[in-house]
């Protein structure tokens, strides 16, 4: 599975203008929510949030302070969201390639 770091790195979107890229991505992402790949990614997102949060507490034990909570949020949310976005892009490219390629 190829990793996409930005909308521009998606092959179908890289030759479009930024406005077309944004519009096509948004529409394909909305439609992708009806497919199983999207929901598998959403489930993994939640599972990773839980696992990484528990792991953070084990690796860095201590009192719950605001700064520690922010650090825990950053170290759990960003990797989980990254995995979810990869699954969403996979669903978009699999089912809605025609929307991603649209130039109108």
């Amino acid at each position: 599975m190829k990793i996409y770091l930005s909308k521009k790195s998606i092959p179908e979107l890289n030759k479009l203008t930024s406005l077309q890229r944004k519009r096509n991505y948004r529409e394909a992402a909305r439609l992708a929510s009806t497919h199983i790949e999207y929901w598998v990614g959403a489930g993994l997102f939640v599972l990773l949030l839980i696992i990484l949060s528990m792991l953070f507490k084990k690796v860095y034990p201590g009192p719950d302070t605001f700064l520690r909570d922010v650090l825990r949020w950053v170290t759990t949310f960003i990797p989980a969201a990254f995995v979810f976005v990869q699954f969403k892009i996979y669903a978009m490219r699999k089912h809605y390639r025609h929307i991603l390629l649209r130039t109108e």
Side-chain angles (χ1 to χ4, degrees):
M1 185 173 186
K2 186 167 176 359
I3 294 176
Y4 301 100
L5 299 175
S6 68
K7 292 176 190 169
K8 202 169 188 174
S9 67
I10 300 171
E12 292 84 358
L13 296 177
N14 67 358
K15 293 187 171 130
L16 301 176
T17 65
S18 63
L19 183 62
Q20 290 172 327
R21 187 179 310 124
K22 183 177 180 181
R23 187 182 70 226
N24 292 358
Y25 182 90
R26 193 176 11 201
E27 186 174 347
R30 183 180 53 81
L31 292 171
S33 67
T34 62
H35 295 281
I36 190 70
E37 297 91 345
Y38 180 91
W39 293 107
V40 168
L44 277 174
F45 171 76
V46 172
L47 187 64
L48 278 173
L49 280 178
I50 294 168
I51 291 170
L52 292 174
S53 181
M54 289 170 40
L55 185 64
F56 182 86
K57 286 182 179 182
K58 295 246 187 241
V59 173
Y60 300 108
D64 286 335
T65 62
F66 176 73
L67 185 57
R68 188 169 183 272
D69 287 343
V70 169
L71 183 60
R72 183 175 59 216
W73 181 84
V74 168
T75 59
T76 59
F77 182 80
I78 292 175
F82 179 76
V83 169
F84 172 63
V85 168
Q86 298 307 307
F87 273 85
K88 182 170 64 170
I89 291 172
Y90 175 78
M92 290 165 39
R93 292 190 72 217
K94 181 177 178 185
H95 300 286
Y96 299 107
R97 189 176 301 263
H98 63 285
I99 291 175
L100 294 174
L101 289 169
R102 190 172 55 196
T103 59
E104 48 188 65

